[in-house]
Amino acid sequence: MKIDEGYQQTPAQPERWEQLNDVGAIPSLPPTAEAVKDLGPFADTPSVMTQRELDQQSLGGHETVTEGQSLSPIQASLRRLGRDRRAMLSVAIVLLLVVTGYVGPLIYLHVGPSLQNAGPLGNATYGPEIYHQYAHQEQALTDLTSTANYPLGTDGVGRDNLARLMAGLTVSIGVGLLVVIFDIGLGILIGTLAGYYGGIIDTFLARFTDLMFAFPSLLFAILAAATLGDRAINVLGPNGRLILVSLAIAITVWPQMARYVRGQTLQLKEQQFIEAARATGTPSFGIILKHITPNLFNIVVTAATLDLVGIITAEATLSLLGLGVQDPGSSLGLMISAGAAKVYTNVTEVLWPTLALALLVLCLSFVGDGVQDAFNPRTKD
């Protein structure tokens, strides 16, 4: 029997080597994982796991990966996030609150019995499309707890608490999303430029970021709302103060995002794939746009989710202080401020908006923690 070159027959197992040579199982190069598995009973050494097997093992055996498919880092992170039950439950609750705020009023305005003895003189009959509006007042039906017409009762001037709660949710979510978009856009722009180019640009942007850190977010928003709030209403309409507050929060929240992005950019620009892009003649703008920005997804999503909690809380605080949304508008903070005076006579007026705000903030915090754990590159399955 002739043995392929590179392998030597040992005196201890001559018969086995002859059997392997007869079936043609001994290659001229070290066997791959599939070749070792084909050895059958002779493969008594540990085999190397294929990429497909490693992907299946990372999924815990609950899901399968098709032949030839491997998981990208984002796919693996999303699968880890999907296995976080607390984060998934929080996502479901946040989505429920979003649907309640934006879709709920469309249904609520057509549900409910007619309201008898309504109107300023008490001689009118209103349908739900009228008395379920968040700004409609029924002076004879103030501070109700719960009725067929008003499931969550009414406030001190006879407005529907459920309708105002849904309107307040839209304000909190809308302000949060608006500020987060501004936060992500400016944070990525400043952070990538400072981290990639360095030098004078990095020094200038770093000092400008430090200057912005000197303005406390909430105090700056209070100053802007107190001094420019009335002018903003005259120029921008009833929502002018809310827009002003949103911009004030956005101006002071982006420096932290820029710090995160700059640190990540400093690490990415030293990677080999960036050097390869430079070697092929890719301009700096193309490298930032095509290679660095997509790899910032993990840290940007994590930071934005956590920033959203502070933004919603800041808006509610400003409305609570009377510097945000004004009557007849609705906001969770405004409802808490109005209901606080009735806490000893009708606790539900302050209870429902407080629960909604606490649930929204708590669930967003859990989602942020889940995203941080799932997208952390050091996380192991």
Side-chain angles (χ1 to χ4, degrees):
M1 301 295 177
K2 182 179 179 181
I3 310 297
D4 290 344
E5 294 182 2
Y7 291 86
Q8 296 182 357
Q9 182 177 357
T10 60
Q13 297 177 327
E15 296 83 0
R16 182 180 177 186
W17 283 107
E18 292 176 356
Q19 292 174 353
L20 292 177
N21 192 43
D22 288 339
V23 297
I26 303 179
S28 58
L29 293 174
T32 62
E34 297 294 336
V36 172
K37 289 165 58 179
D38 292 339
L39 294 181
F42 305 110
D44 54 359
T45 58
S47 61
V48 180
M49 298 184 68
T50 63
Q51 180 62 42
R52 181 170 178 267
E53 293 171 335
L54 289 172
D55 292 338
Q56 289 178 340
Q57 184 181 23
S58 68
L59 299 179
H62 299 294
E63 300 182 33
T64 59
V65 181
T66 59
E67 190 68 30
Q69 177 186 2
S70 60
L71 293 176
S72 67
I74 293 180
Q75 289 175 327
S77 298
L78 290 176
R79 291 182 186 274
R80 285 195 295 267
L81 180 62
R83 293 197 297 271
D84 189 337
R85 296 182 179 179
R86 184 182 66 177
M88 288 297 97
L89 178 60
S90 299
V91 169
I93 294 176
V94 170
L95 290 178
L96 178 62
L97 292 175
V98 171
V99 172
T100 300
Y102 286 93
V103 181
L106 302 178
I107 301 174
Y108 190 55
L109 288 174
H110 302 282
V111 176
S114 298
L115 182 63
Q116 306 295 330
N117 302 322
L121 301 178
N123 57 356
T125 300
Y126 291 153
E129 68 278 1
I130 296 179
Y131 69 84
H132 277 173
Q133 295 180 8
Y134 71 89
H136 179 75
Q137 300 180 9
E138 285 293 333
Q139 298 292 343
L141 301 175
T142 60
D143 297 325
L144 297 179
T145 55
S146 179
T147 65
N149 300 101
Y150 301 105
L152 298 185
T154 60
D155 63 4
V157 292
R159 294 176 296 195
D160 189 346
N161 283 334
L162 180 55
R164 294 184 62 77
L165 184 66
M166 291 187 289
L169 284 172
T170 60
V171 170
S172 296
I173 296 172
V175 170
L177 293 179
L178 176 64
V179 176
V180 162
I181 291 174
F182 187 90
D183 179 27
I184 293 175
L186 197 57
I188 290 179
L189 177 64
I190 301 297
T192 52
L193 292 178
Y196 184 81
Y197 289 103
I200 298 178
I201 296 178
D202 185 20
T203 302
F204 172 76
L205 295 178
R207 299 292 78 78
F208 181 71
T209 303
D210 292 338
L211 179 64
M212 296 306 302
F213 268 121
F215 293 94
S217 178
L218 187 59
L219 293 179
F220 181 75
I222 291 174
L223 177 64
T227 56
L228 303 175
D230 295 337
R231 182 174 299 179
I233 293 176
N234 295 332
V235 175
L236 303 175
N239 294 324
R241 188 186 295 270
L242 182 62
I243 296 174
L244 177 65
V245 167
S246 301
L247 291 177
I249 297 174
I251 289 174
T252 56
V253 77
W254 66 264
Q256 189 66 40
M257 177 69 75
R259 285 282 180 90
Y260 292 145
V261 172
R262 175 183 175 274
Q264 187 74 3
T265 304
L266 288 173
Q267 297 179 9
L268 288 173
K269 75 174 185 178
E270 302 298 333
Q271 300 297 318
Q272 293 182 354
F273 69 94
I274 299 296
E275 296 293 338
R278 291 197 190 99
T280 58
T282 305
S284 298
F285 178 77
I287 293 175
I288 294 175
L289 188 63
K290 297 180 180 180
H291 300 288
I292 291 182
T293 303
N295 285 281
L296 298 173
F297 177 83
N298 297 357
I299 191 169
V300 167
V301 170
T302 302
T305 306
L306 297 176
D307 286 345
L308 188 59
V309 176
I311 294 168
I312 292 177
T313 306
E315 184 279 325
T317 302
L318 290 172
S319 296
L320 177 66
L321 298 175
L323 298 174
V325 179
Q326 304 291 313
D327 280 327
S330 179
S331 170
L332 296 179
L334 185 62
M335 291 183 67
I336 295 173
S337 177
K342 305 292 183 64
V343 67
Y344 296 108
T345 58
N346 188 3
V347 69
T348 57
E349 291 187 31
V350 70
L351 176 63
W352 297 119
T354 302
L355 286 178
L357 180 61
L359 191 62
L360 182 61
V361 171
L362 186 63
C363 289
L364 286 174
S365 298
F366 286 152
V367 173
D369 291 340
V371 169
Q372 186 176 21
D373 294 339
F375 287 88
N376 188 344
R378 298 179 178 86
T379 301
K380 302 295 182 182
D381 288 305

